[in-house]
């Protein structure tokens, strides 16, 4: 399969009054053509920051301090604002978490889609683009598209608004859609519809999807491959079935024990003891060490991400040959 | 746009009771003044009782209060706002003479407020925490905290006494033909360039003073809302969709306008209702000056007229504000 995006050793720091937060600390992964890659982790583990850093959407006090994001052989992090704007919304698009906040309340649903189209096609009038909006609304099963393009965000339900956001994301036939917790703000009944829609559109437009989520149900439903992040680092990376069948990192195991797992019989759900570490003073060595039931002295040294079995990477001394001294 | 039309009709209807309320209030207020106006008009303590009785009858002051109210309402709606016992002219005629001066002043200072205040706020927001942001903050602070009469005198001292550039008082010369009663506008309409420049010079100092007092509030409100909008999720998402330049600023500007409209409307309302101090310092024969004279001489048809006028002005401005809201923000059109 063809790689379309390659993130290498990405580092994003936030400079706050209390100190430097290393929100993303040396993250590397790749996205293949047509696949759905999930990034899972708790709140504050750096998954959203990673997603936004892909097109340099990091605001002050955040700063991308290192790494490369290769897209079609170009390093996106080297581009200037103009070039970035021509990529954002065209080849790499976003679906944000909360559609109520992502849409400008003063403009119609159709206008959002239409302006996204005109921003990337020279000389196209907003009127033409509105016709394209009707088409897309039709494709993503928004009922009565001719009238819905004229609706304002406050006149639409949460699920409809998220469909509008998705419409802006697919309007320019993107290569990569980055969906940042696209179902978190929605009713449970709507979540499945939105996931189905994303899956279907991905197939129709031939796009790849990077899905940010903290919901393992979404992972099982949607993803081909999974990256598990903890405290700004990738702790495990595998195909979805392998991860659910054979989780290697204690953190991944903990996550899976905390939700009902269709692959195993669990009598009761367990929680992971402790809390996410303070990101200014991160624990020395393995960052999961303070919460890990299997921690040893070896964990004071940071483990590398190694391939434990084919296409299954983990960063833990338990599975690393070096660690089993 | 059908929404908007329906909204305007509904708003108009809802203002009718407010207007009625203002009318009743002006009527009541003027009847509970502690002094006896009739005696004052008749010439004070030495007035003969027959003359006092005569005035009482002529102004229907011997009738019961509710009858007076009905008479008053009837008169107001038929365009008879009473005759001022002091100027011996109908109050509406007086108002027609004094109000254009205030209106003219309000329009010029309202324009100054808008075209200086809004960009000032936007610049402060875009260059947050820079030198220029702090400079604007200081200017804003002086504008809001310095007393208006002091500012007026300082400006007169600089531009009239010291530099000799601008006249210190009065409205200038009325143009040959009166269209609106506003000198600056009328001199444009008559095509008299020299007169236009002269009258513009006259209006500059008072309107700058007035604008300056409101500038601080406008600039601060614009700055704060613009900062809120710029850091909002939908602007972030707009950038994520590849919008930049004008396409992006359109979202920022339109969203920043909403709170500004309220403040701007309040400021203009305040100016229109007669910036009394400013009109006094600049000998500007506007509605503020007229009101002060009316109050001093207990000329209560005039007091009622001015009060009613100010009430109506505020209702009108509220009406315009509501419509401006509805045009900008679809959520208001419900």
């Amino acid at each position: 399969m063809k790689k379309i995006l390659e993130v290498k050793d990405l580092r994003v720091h936030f400079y706050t009054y209390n100190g430097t937060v290393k929100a993303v600390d040396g993250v590397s992964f790749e996205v293949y053509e047509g696949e759905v890659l999930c990034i899972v982790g708790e709140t504050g583990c750096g998954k959203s920051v990673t997603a936004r850093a892909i097109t340099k959407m990091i605001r002050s006090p955040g700063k991308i301090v290192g790494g490369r994001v290769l897209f079609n052989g170009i390093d996106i992090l080297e581009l200037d604002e103009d070039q970035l704007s021509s990529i954002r919304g065209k080849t790499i698009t976003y679906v944000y978490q909360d559609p109520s906040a992502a849409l400008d309340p003063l403009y119609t649903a159709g206008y959002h889609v239409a302006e996204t189209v005109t921003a990337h096609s020279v000389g196209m009038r907003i009127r033409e683009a509105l016709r394209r909006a009707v088409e897309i609304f039709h494709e993503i099963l928004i009922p009565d598209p001719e009238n819905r393009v004229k609706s304002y965000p406050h006149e639409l339900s949460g699920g409809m608004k998220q469909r509008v956001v998705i419409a802006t994301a697919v309007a320019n036939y993107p290569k990569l859609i980055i969906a940042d917790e696209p179902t978190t703000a929605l009713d449970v009944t709507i979540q499945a519809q939105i996931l189905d829609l994303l899956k279907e559109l991905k197939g129709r437009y031939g796009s790849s999807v990077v899905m940010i989520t903290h919901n393992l149900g979404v992972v099982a439903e949607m993803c081909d491959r999974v990256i598990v992040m903890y405290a700004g680092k990738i702790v495990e990376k595998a195909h979805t079935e392998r991860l659910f069948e054979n989780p290697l990192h204690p953190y991944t195991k903990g996550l899976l024990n905390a939700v009902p797992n269709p692959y195993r019989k669990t009598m009761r759900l367990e929680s992971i003891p402790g809390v996410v570490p303070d990101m200014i003073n991160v624990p020395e060595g393995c960052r999961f060490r303070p919460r890990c039931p299997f921690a040893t002295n070896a964990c004071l040294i940071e483990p590398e991400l190694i391939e434990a079995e084919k296409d299954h990477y983990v960063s833990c001394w338990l599975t690393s040959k070096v660690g089993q001294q | 746009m059908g929404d908007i039309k329906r909204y305007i009709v509904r708003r108009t209807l809802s203002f009718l009771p407010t207007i009625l309320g203002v009318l009743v209030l002006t009527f009541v207020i003027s009847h509970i003044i502690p002094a006896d106006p009739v005696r004052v008009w008749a010439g004070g303590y030495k007035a003969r009782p027959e003359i006092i009785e005569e005035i009482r009858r002529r102004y229907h002051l011997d009738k019961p209060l509710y009858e007076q109210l009905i008479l008053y309402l009837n008169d107001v709606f038929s365009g008879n706002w009473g005759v001022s016992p002091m100027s011996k002219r109908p109050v509406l005629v007086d108002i027609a003479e004094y109000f254009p001066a205030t209106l003219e002043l309000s329009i010029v200072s309202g324009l100054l407020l808008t075209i200086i205040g809004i960009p000032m706020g936007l610049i402060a927001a875009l260059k947050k925490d820079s030198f220029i942001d702090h400079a604007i903050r200081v200017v804003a602070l002086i504008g809001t905290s310095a007393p208006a009469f002091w500012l007026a005198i300082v400006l007169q001292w600089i531009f009239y006494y010291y530099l000799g550039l601008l006249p210190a008082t009065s409205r200038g010369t009325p143009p040959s033909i009166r269209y609106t009663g506003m000198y600056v506008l009328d001199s444009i309409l008559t095509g008299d360039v020299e007169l236009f420049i002269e009258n513009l010079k006259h209006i500059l100092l008072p309107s700058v003073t007035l604008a300056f007092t409101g500038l601080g509030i406008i600039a601060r409100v614009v700055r704060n809302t613009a900062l809120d909008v710029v850091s909002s999720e939908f602007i972030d998402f707009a950038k994520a969709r590849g919008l930049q330049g004008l396409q992006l600023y359109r979202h920022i500007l339109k969203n920043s306008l909403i709170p500004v409209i309220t403040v701007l409307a309040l400021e203009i309302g305040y100016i229109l209702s007669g910036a009394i101090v400013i009109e006094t310092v600049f000998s500007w024969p506007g509605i503020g000056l007229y009101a002060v004279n009316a109050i001093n001489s207990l000329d209560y048809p005039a007091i009622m007229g001015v009060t009613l006028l100010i009430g109506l002005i505020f209702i009108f401005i509220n009406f315009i504000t509501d419509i401006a809201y509805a045009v900008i923000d679809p959520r208001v059109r419900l």
Side-chain angles (χ1 to χ4, degrees):
Chain A
M1 264 199 295
K2 207 179 133 201
K3 268 185 213 172
I4 65 158
L5 183 86
E6 205 174 348
V7 175
K8 283 183 176 171
D9 199 28
L10 183 69
R11 286 165 200 277
V12 184
H13 292 181
F14 284 78
Y15 298 94
T16 68
Y17 285 117
N18 298 323
T20 304
V21 177
K22 295 178 178 172
V24 177
D25 198 13
V27 164
S28 305
F29 61 91
E30 52 293 305
V31 182
Y32 294 100
E33 198 170 64
E35 76 162 347
V36 180
L37 173 72
C38 275
I39 303 180
V40 221
E42 285 166 282
T43 307
C45 72
K47 53 191 196 300
S48 285
V49 177
T50 305
R52 293 193 182 199
I54 291 175
T55 63
K56 262 176 116 175
M57 291 281 301
I58 300 290
R59 287 185 185 203
S60 169
K63 207 169 174 238
I64 301 172
V65 291
R68 307 211 288 162
V69 176
L70 297 174
F71 183 74
N72 288 336
I74 309 162
D75 185 356
I76 292 180
L77 301 184
E78 299 285 318
L79 300 180
D80 62 29
E81 272 303 307
D82 260 12
Q83 293 166 314
L84 285 168
S85 291
S86 66
I87 289 181
R88 295 177 190 146
K90 171 124 180 95
T91 41
I92 301 180
T93 63
Y94 284 88
V95 175
Y96 273 21
Q97 177 176 353
D98 181 0
S100 307
L103 297 175
D104 184 336
L106 308 185
Y107 289 88
T108 59
Y111 188 86
H112 281 88
V113 180
E115 69 176 352
T116 314
V117 173
T118 53
H120 297 286
S121 6
V122 181
M124 193 194 267
R125 296 284 180 83
I126 203 88
R127 216 169 269 279
E128 277 172 74
L130 275 170
R131 275 200 294 277
R132 168 87 182 113
V134 175
E135 256 170 58
I136 300 169
F137 277 24
H138 194 73
E139 275 175 35
I140 63 176
L141 305 177
I142 292 180
D144 192 11
E146 283 83 7
N147 286 316
R148 280 291 84 81
V149 289
K150 294 178 208 146
S151 298
Y152 286 95
H154 73 275
E155 296 166 332
L156 301 171
S157 66
M160 277 302 145
K161 275 185 265 195
Q162 193 60 301
R163 280 170 193 265
V164 174
V165 169
I166 292 172
T168 66
V170 297
N172 292 314
Y173 307 96
K175 288 267 171 289
L176 176 65
I177 302 170
I178 300 171
D180 188 356
E181 307 215 23
T183 58
T184 307
L186 303 177
D187 284 352
V188 184
T189 47
I190 310 294
Q191 291 184 357
Q193 291 179 19
I194 294 292
L195 291 179
D196 284 346
L197 177 69
L198 273 171
K199 238 198 247 178
E200 199 217 311
L201 289 173
K202 166 198 99 82
R204 188 183 304 169
Y205 288 87
S207 321
S208 309
V209 176
V210 170
M211 173 86 83
I212 314 292
T213 182
H214 60 245
N215 185 337
L216 288 165
V218 172
V219 176
E221 168 83 24
M222 286 286 293
C223 300
D224 301 315
R225 288 192 306 129
V226 194
I227 286 171
V228 182
M229 278 186 76
Y230 185 78
K233 281 189 173 294
I234 293 178
V235 293
E236 190 160 1
K237 181 159 83 172
H239 284 284
T240 308
E241 303 89 66
R242 279 315 285 164
L243 191 92
F244 278 88
E245 283 165 17
N246 183 26
L248 293 176
H249 198 282
Y251 178 62
T252 317
K253 285 178 188 162
L255 282 182
L256 286 171
N257 285 336
V259 292
N261 185 342
Y263 291 92
R264 313 163 177 212
K265 267 209 166 99
T266 28
M267 297 313 285
R268 47 175 298 170
L269 300 178
E270 282 164 32
S271 61
I272 304 173
V275 289
V276 183
D278 167 9
M279 292 295 283
I280 291 169
N281 306 303
V282 279
E284 206 184 319
C286 172
R287 293 180 178 189
F288 189 56
R289 180 174 50 82
R291 298 171 75 184
C292 183
F294 312 107
T296 62
N297 279 341
C299 302
L300 284 168
I301 301 160
E302 201 171 323
E304 294 283 315
L305 194 65
I306 56 140
E307 190 166 12
E309 55 179 355
K310 191 176 177 305
D311 291 335
H312 190 163
Y313 297 80
V314 66
S315 129
C316 179
W317 292 123
L318 283 177
T319 36
S320 158
K321 292 177 189 77
V322 194
Q324 295 161 351
Q325 302 145 344
Chain B
M1 277 326 229
D3 277 5
I4 290 220
K5 271 183 208 143
R6 233 178 308 138
Y7 177 81
I8 291 175
V9 171
R10 245 195 346 245
R11 284 275 82 178
T12 316
L13 291 178
S14 76
F15 275 124
L16 288 180
T18 321
I19 292 175
L20 205 66
V22 169
L23 283 165
V24 173
L25 269 182
T26 37
F27 177 78
V28 169
I29 288 169
S30 57
H31 276 72
I32 54 174
I33 338 181
D36 181 4
V38 177
R39 189 175 286 278
V40 179
W41 301 340
Y45 286 110
K46 289 175 184 160
R48 296 224 307 274
E50 308 94 83
I51 294 180
I52 290 180
E53 271 316 296
E54 172 61 24
I55 292 178
R56 238 183 247 293
R57 229 188 347 267
R58 187 174 294 173
Y59 285 95
H60 304 294
L61 291 172
D62 52 343
K63 301 254 170 61
L65 218 53
Y66 68 89
E67 253 179 66
Q68 290 186 38
L69 175 63
I70 291 167
L71 281 169
Y72 171 64
L73 292 180
N74 194 24
D75 279 354
V76 166
F77 284 114
S78 57
N80 173 14
W81 288 25
V83 174
S84 158
M86 287 296 140
S87 70
K88 308 281 188 293
R89 293 192 307 176
V91 171
L92 263 184
V93 171
D94 278 350
I95 286 176
E97 188 186 316
Y98 285 94
F99 187 60
T102 301
L103 190 61
E104 183 174 37
L105 195 60
S106 316
I107 291 173
V108 176
S109 47
L111 281 178
L112 286 173
L113 211 53
T114 314
I115 58 177
I116 298 173
I118 292 178
M120 247 171 86
L122 285 177
I123 291 168
L126 292 177
K127 307 267 176 200
K128 186 178 171 246
D129 294 329
S130 68
F131 170 75
I132 192 155
D133 181 24
H134 294 308
I136 287 173
R137 194 193 312 258
V138 170
V139 171
L141 194 67
I142 293 173
T144 19
S145 49
F149 74 87
W150 178 81
L151 266 177
I153 293 169
V154 168
L155 287 177
Q156 279 176 338
W157 181 76
I158 297 175
F159 289 98
Y160 170 69
Y161 180 77
Y162 192 72
L163 295 174
L165 282 176
L166 298 170
T169 57
S170 94
R171 287 184 73 191
T173 322
S176 48
I177 311 170
R178 178 190 159 110
Y179 293 102
T180 59
M182 295 185 261
Y183 289 2
V184 177
L185 187 62
D186 283 356
S187 46
I188 298 175
L189 290 177
T190 50
D192 192 335
V193 179
E194 246 172 76
L195 205 61
F196 167 70
I197 291 170
E198 190 204 322
N199 289 332
L200 195 65
K201 275 183 175 176
H202 274 94
I203 206 169
L204 221 48
L205 276 188
S207 54
V208 164
T209 315
L210 267 176
F212 203 61
T213 53
L215 209 58
I217 299 169
I218 300 280
R220 295 298 290 171
V221 170
V222 173
R223 177 183 182 273
N224 290 348
T225 48
L227 281 179
D228 277 352
V229 172
V230 167
S231 61
S232 70
E233 185 85 346
F234 61 80
I235 293 299
D236 204 59
F237 186 56
K239 286 185 197 158
R241 288 184 285 133
L243 302 193
Q244 55 174 344
L246 269 182
Q247 274 193 316
L248 192 62
Y249 286 130
R250 183 203 305 261
H251 287 279
I252 297 175
L253 195 66
K254 202 168 173 187
N255 277 282
S256 306
L257 270 181
I258 301 173
V260 178
I261 289 175
T262 318
V263 185
L264 202 59
L266 282 176
E267 282 295 328
I268 291 176
Y270 161 74
I271 298 170
L272 260 176
S273 58
I276 295 166
V277 174
I278 299 296
E279 289 187 356
T280 312
V281 176
F282 289 98
S283 314
W284 194 265
I287 210 74
L289 217 54
Y290 180 65
V292 171
N293 290 335
I295 291 166
N296 283 339
S297 49
L298 283 180
D299 178 350
Y300 90 78
I303 296 175
M304 285 163 77
V306 172
T307 314
L308 184 57
L309 178 75
I310 292 171
L312 292 179
I313 285 171
F314 268 95
I315 289 173
F316 180 71
I317 287 175
N318 268 309
F319 180 67
I320 297 291
T321 314
D322 282 353
I323 290 174
Y325 267 149
V327 169
I328 291 180
D329 191 343
R331 288 166 295 185
V332 177
R333 286 174 220 161
L334 292 174

